[in-house]
Every structure is written in structure tokens, then in C-alpha cells.
Amino acid sequence: MEQNIPIDIHTNKLLDWLISRRHVNRDWQTQVLVIREKINNAIQDMPVHEGIAKLLSGSYINYFHCKKIIDILKETEASSKNFFGSYGSQRMKDWQEIVKLYEKDNVYLAEVAQMLIRNVNYEVPSIKKQIAKCKQLQVECDKKEKGYLKTKSLVLGEFQTMCKQLGIPGQKIKHELAERVKELPEIYTKVADNAKLLSPAVEFYSAFVKFVLGEEHTGGSVSLLKYIIDHGNTTTYEWMYGEPPLTIEETPLDIDFSDEIDDSKIGDTIDFGDDNTAEIDFGNLGDANANEIDFGDVTLDESGDIDWGNINNAELAELPDANLEIDFNISLEESGIVVESTGVDGGVAKGTEALTLLDNPKTRNTFIDDLMELQAFLKVRLFEMQGASDLLSLSQLQDASPILQLQTTQSVLTMLDHVQITLGQITDSRTQHLHNIKHSPRYVDHLVDGLKQKLAVAKRMEAAQEVVKERRHAVGEEAASLQPKMQLIIDKTKELQSEIEEDISKKYKNRPVNIMGGVNIL
């Protein structure tokens, strides 16, 4: 039967279908504008009712909502009903008028059809896209957070590795570096002690040079290394002048601590007391209660000069060389004369001359060059001895010294090991750092800046990580808030579609109406 044949209408064609079947006019939108204005006015004066609040939440008010509002007003405005069954309430009259305007020319049907199309094609997909974007942002935030964490761990690892290499905790970097510099003398002492084990290698090298090049070429080879083997790590002054200095004036460590305050050093300054007190106590030299220095039994004559005792000119004449005139205007420092005092040879070692040979940058480099020269010789000699034919065979070494003839591959290899150990000690990265720290303030600043930069990068990564965490939390909350909103629109759209299908069905003798592609795809 025709009554049982369903009417299938696609959602996107619903409005065109209603217009083509002459259920609504093409100019229905002009009529809707008047109705929407009346709805906005009527909604301002509504009774407090749970059903009305539920109808007005989460959806656009349409014709079917208006009919439900009238049903609710029949209960709330029942007291205004007169004897003839009409309501005197203005609220009821306003909403009844709105419903009549909707039903004229089926304007309501065109509007709800457009609402259904908009919800299906735009509203719900838009919210879905927002939720998907939020989830994508969460994934990106997770990746960024892992990246920031990885970078932070990397730079902190580099910082800790460098601090471990320098032997410092990395809190007060400059102060800690200055403390580590004090370890250099002990390191150089160990290097000098190990250098003594190189004596056989040096003798072997010297004998080889003498045999190949002659006696005149033996003196200049690894001379500094020979000196350290014989005398140890002496001052540069003693190496240059052949005698130890009487006194050594070391140059203080030139590191600027102004940008790094160490609380543990506060209070270690010398307190000279009140500025008005001129008292200086040098021990037993004078009275501590007097504002003067006691030099003993020195007396002054009437003119204020120092009285040197009862020495007359006759006694001066009896002294040896008394007739010699002494010029006291000679500057010993400018003349370069080394003063000999109380039988102890030497003078004052200043500047680079006060440094030890392994601490002086110039002589230290010479020492390293000597070690590398010796190492190169031993490697070449070992290669020759291990080859198929030795360039210096036993027949050629018959006139050489026993030290050349008796050397074996194993003995040369042992010498090479000792040289490489000593070279490794003096060129160790930590020793290099400490040496540069002591002799180069710019190197200290560069080193500290590098360490602080790694900490700054780690802090920036940590801050960026916190920002990403907050961002991820925010988009997560946004996605969570959009989810119920989308579900509410879907539920309202399903309800609206059912109402449209039912309304159209009444116009076709209750034939079943199916709106295709509507909420079924949501």
C-alpha cells in the first residue's frame, strides 16, 4: 500500500525538498526575522521553571521548543485562565502569537530543516575538529616535553662531565677552580718523578744521536728533559742561572671573583681595628700599648739624627779599605747584580722565573716537545727493529756503545710505555685545564661562561618544559569541555530530526519519513 512506502529525504536536500513540494515559501527567511525578534522579547520575561531552563540550554530555540514552553505555561499561568478558557497572562499571549506566526506558511518547517542541516554539516564537525586539534596539540606537547627533557639531561650531563673532569662540584665555579689550581705542584712533582724513569730512554737516544751524527749533536737533544731527570722540577730561575734563588716572589692568581660571591669566604679578611689606632704589633719589637715602633736602644742626637755610637775618624782609618769611597747610588736591580748573602747563593726570582719548569708555559711546552721527540724516536726505532731487515744491523753497531747493541724490542717497548705515561700525565685534560686556569684569566672567564651557559640552557629547557606542561593541561581541559557540548548538540539534533520526520509524516497521511545522512553519520 502507498501508505507504507517510506519517504526518504537526504539531509542536504531537505530544505530544497520542502520548497519544491510547496510546503514552505522561498522567502521564509524574512518571516523568520520577525519571529526571532518576538522570541528575544518574550524570553526576557519567563517564570522560574526547571523544564523551561532545560529547553533554553544548549540549543537554538525553535518551533517545537515554543510549543513545549506553552505547555509549561499552561501550568504556571493556570491562575490567569478565564471562564471562556483563554489566558489573561501576557506571557501566554506572546508565545501563542509566536507559534501562530511559525505555523503560517509552515515557516517553522523551513527553519528547523535549516537548523538540522547546519548542525549536521557544520556545528558538530566543527566541534569534532576542535577536539581533534586539542588531542593533536597534546601529542605535540608530549613530544616537545620529551625533547626539552632530553636537551636538559644532555646539557646537564655535559656540565657534570666537565665539572668531574675539573674536579669541582660546580656551585661556586671560580672559587672552586682557584682551589683546584693548588693541586698543580703535586701533579708536577709526580710528572718529574716519573720522568726519572726515562733516563734509560734518554741515554739510548743520546747514544744513537752520537753514533749517527757525531759528538757535537748530542748536547742539544732533549736537554730540558735531561735537566728535569737530574735535578727535578726546579724553578726557571735555577735552570737559567745554575743556582737556586734566595727568595721566590710568586705572582698571585689573577682571577676576578667580583661576579661570584662566596659566602664561606666572608669574615676571612684581616681586621686592623679602628682607623684612629696606629698600633702595629710586630711581636717583641715594642710596647703594644704605645702608638710607635720600638727599634731597641737606638738613640737620637740633638739634631734628631741617629747616634751610631762613639766611632771616631781614627778608628775608621784603622778599618780595612777605609780610604775607599763607596757610591751608594748604585741600583742593584737595574745593574742586574745578584746579591750573595750570608754564604747562600742566589737572588730574587720574580715573574716567570719564579715558576717551576713544568709550570712555566714556555718551558712546559719545551718539556712536552722533548717527550714527543723521544717518543717519535722510540716508535721509529721499534718499527725498524720489528721489520724484516733492521736498518742498523749488528754488524753496523759493532763500533757503537753497548747501550745501542744490547737493546731489544721488549726493552725499547718498555721505554716507549714510560714515555707515553709521562706524556699522558702532563697533557692530561684536567692538568691542561688547571694550567690554563692559572696562567690565563681570559681562559677562566671562557671556561666559567661555558659552564654557566650549559646551566642557563638547562634552566631554559626546564622553563619551556613547564610551559608545555601547562599548555598540554589547558588543551586537555578544553577538549574535555567540548566533549559534553558536542554530545548535547548531537542529542538535540537527533531529537530535532525525529520531530521533523514526524511532522512531515503527518502531512503525508503518516507515511514513514527517513531523513538520510543526518544524525546517523554523527
Side-chain angles (χ1 to χ4, degrees):
M1 296 178 61
E2 182 181 356
Q3 187 176 359
N4 296 328
I5 299 175
I7 301 174
D8 295 335
I9 310 170
H10 197 276
T11 303
N12 294 336
K13 302 294 183 180
L14 178 59
L15 187 56
D16 294 335
W17 186 90
L18 292 173
I19 293 175
S20 64
R21 272 33 174 208
R22 299 184 182 278
H23 292 298
V24 296
N25 297 327
R26 293 184 180 276
D27 60 346
W28 61 271
Q29 291 181 341
T30 56
Q31 297 173 274
V32 167
L33 293 176
V34 178
I35 298 173
R36 300 312 308 181
E37 184 177 357
K38 290 185 176 293
I39 289 175
N40 291 335
N41 294 331
I43 206 172
Q44 303 300 323
D45 182 26
M46 295 296 293
V48 178
H49 192 277
E50 182 180 354
I52 293 177
K54 187 176 181 180
L55 287 172
L56 299 179
S57 63
S59 63
Y60 193 71
I61 296 177
N62 56 54
Y63 166 75
F64 300 108
H65 291 154
C66 295
K67 290 188 67 175
K68 292 177 182 179
I69 289 174
I70 289 176
D71 292 339
I72 295 173
L73 290 177
K74 287 180 180 179
E75 300 176 4
T76 60
E77 308 297 322
S79 59
S80 66
K81 189 175 182 180
N82 57 27
F83 181 76
F84 298 101
S86 57
Y87 291 86
S89 170
Q90 184 61 39
R91 293 172 180 169
M92 181 65 78
K93 291 179 180 180
D94 291 341
W95 287 103
Q96 286 177 339
E97 181 185 1
I98 291 170
V99 169
K100 288 180 181 179
L101 291 174
Y102 260 136
E103 292 176 345
K104 183 180 180 181
D105 298 329
N106 294 325
V107 174
Y108 74 92
L109 200 54
E111 185 187 45
V112 294
Q114 188 185 53
M115 288 182 182
L116 178 64
I117 294 171
R118 185 174 63 247
N119 288 351
V120 171
N121 294 336
Y122 302 104
E123 294 292 338
V124 175
S126 176
I127 297 177
K128 284 185 175 180
K129 287 181 180 178
Q130 292 182 42
I131 295 175
K133 186 177 180 180
C134 289
K135 291 182 178 179
Q136 180 63 29
L137 286 174
Q138 284 182 303
V139 174
E140 293 177 1
C141 288
D142 288 337
K143 290 182 179 179
K144 287 184 178 180
E145 184 179 357
K146 291 179 181 178
Y148 292 143
L149 181 61
K150 183 178 180 181
T151 304
K152 175 186 173 182
S153 301
L154 182 63
V155 295
L156 284 179
E158 293 175 354
F159 175 82
Q160 292 170 357
T161 300
M162 199 163 184
C163 288
K164 185 178 180 181
Q165 194 177 70
L166 295 170
I168 61 175
Q171 297 175 356
K172 298 283 186 179
I173 300 176
K174 285 190 176 181
H175 287 85
E176 293 163 1
L177 291 176
E179 288 295 321
R180 295 283 78 78
V181 169
K182 297 178 181 179
E183 300 176 4
L184 279 175
E186 182 181 353
I187 295 174
Y188 291 146
T189 300
K190 291 181 180 179
V191 174
D193 292 340
N194 286 333
K196 295 179 180 179
L197 300 175
L198 306 182
S199 181
V202 172
E203 292 178 4
F204 178 42
Y205 181 42
S206 299
F208 187 89
V209 172
K210 179 180 179 181
F211 176 75
V212 175
L213 300 178
E215 181 72 31
E216 66 275 9
H217 295 281
T218 58
S221 58
V222 295
S223 58
L224 183 60
L225 177 58
K226 292 177 182 177
Y227 179 87
I228 292 179
I229 291 174
D230 294 336
H231 301 88
N233 185 30
T234 65
T235 60
T236 307
Y237 181 97
E238 184 175 348
W239 178 67
M240 292 174 62
Y241 302 112
E243 59 183 10
L246 182 63
T247 57
I248 298 175
E249 295 183 2
E250 295 185 359
T251 304
L253 196 61
D254 186 13
I255 298 179
D256 182 15
F257 296 103
S258 60
D259 58 343
E260 187 177 59
I261 300 175
D262 190 352
D263 295 334
S264 63
K265 301 298 180 183
I266 297 176
D268 292 344
T269 56
I270 301 174
D271 183 8
F272 291 101
D274 197 339
D275 293 340
N276 297 325
T277 303
E279 175 187 337
I280 303 177
D281 184 6
F282 291 96
N284 297 325
L285 296 178
D287 187 359
N289 297 323
N291 295 335
E292 60 184 10
I293 302 173
D294 184 5
F295 291 99
D297 296 329
V298 178
T299 60
L300 301 178
D301 58 16
E302 296 178 355
S303 63
D305 297 328
I306 299 175
D307 182 6
W308 299 102
N310 297 322
I311 300 176
N312 52 37
N313 293 330
E315 292 174 338
L316 287 175
E318 295 176 0
L319 295 175
D321 299 329
N323 296 323
L324 296 178
E325 294 183 359
I326 302 174
D327 184 4
F328 293 99
N329 294 323
I330 298 175
S331 174
L332 297 181
E333 294 182 358
E334 293 178 358
S335 64
I337 298 175
V338 179
V339 178
E340 297 182 0
S341 176
T342 63
V344 180
D345 296 337
V348 179
K350 299 180 180 180
T352 56
E353 293 183 358
L355 300 174
T356 62
L357 292 172
L358 296 180
D359 196 20
N360 188 334
K362 185 177 180 179
T363 53
R364 179 178 181 273
N365 291 335
T366 303
F367 177 74
I368 293 174
D369 291 341
D370 288 353
L371 289 175
M372 296 184 72
E373 180 182 345
L374 185 59
Q375 177 185 241
F377 162 72
L378 293 174
K379 284 184 176 180
V380 173
R381 188 71 189 112
L382 187 63
F383 175 78
E384 292 172 349
M385 296 175 68
Q386 291 175 340
S389 60
D390 189 356
L391 296 178
L392 293 176
S393 61
L394 292 176
S395 60
Q396 294 173 310
L397 295 175
Q398 289 179 355
D399 298 333
S401 62
I403 192 172
L404 287 178
Q405 298 183 31
L406 299 177
Q407 294 302 327
T408 63
T409 303
Q410 184 60 42
S411 63
V412 175
L413 187 61
T414 302
M415 295 178 189
L416 181 60
D417 289 340
H418 289 160
V419 172
Q420 290 175 338
I421 290 173
T422 306
L423 187 60
Q425 286 180 326
I426 193 65
T427 58
D428 178 70
S429 58
R430 184 182 179 190
T431 306
Q432 294 271 33
H433 281 306
L434 295 179
H435 177 80
N436 293 334
I437 289 167
K438 181 176 181 179
H439 297 286
S440 175
R442 292 184 62 185
Y443 181 82
V444 175
D445 294 335
H446 177 73
L447 188 63
V448 172
D449 290 342
L451 289 170
K452 288 184 176 181
Q453 185 179 9
K454 294 183 185 300
L455 290 179
V457 171
K459 289 181 179 179
R460 287 200 299 270
M461 293 301 102
E462 186 176 355
Q465 188 179 355
E466 291 299 323
V467 171
V468 168
K469 283 183 179 179
E470 294 177 0
R471 175 62 174 162
R472 182 182 59 188
H473 180 70
V475 295
E477 289 185 342
E478 183 180 355
S481 64
L482 289 173
Q483 197 69 37
K485 180 180 178 181
M486 182 184 69
Q487 189 59 46
L488 178 62
I489 294 177
I490 291 175
D491 294 339
K492 294 289 185 180
T493 303
K494 287 181 179 180
E495 182 181 353
L496 181 62
Q497 181 172 317
S498 299
E499 291 171 340
I500 293 174
E501 289 174 345
E502 183 179 352
D503 193 86
I504 295 175
S505 176
K506 291 179 181 179
K507 298 181 183 299
Y508 287 91
K509 299 179 181 179
N510 295 325
R511 285 177 60 183
V513 177
N514 299 319
I515 297 179
M516 312 298 294
V519 292
N520 300 322
I521 64 173
L522 298 180

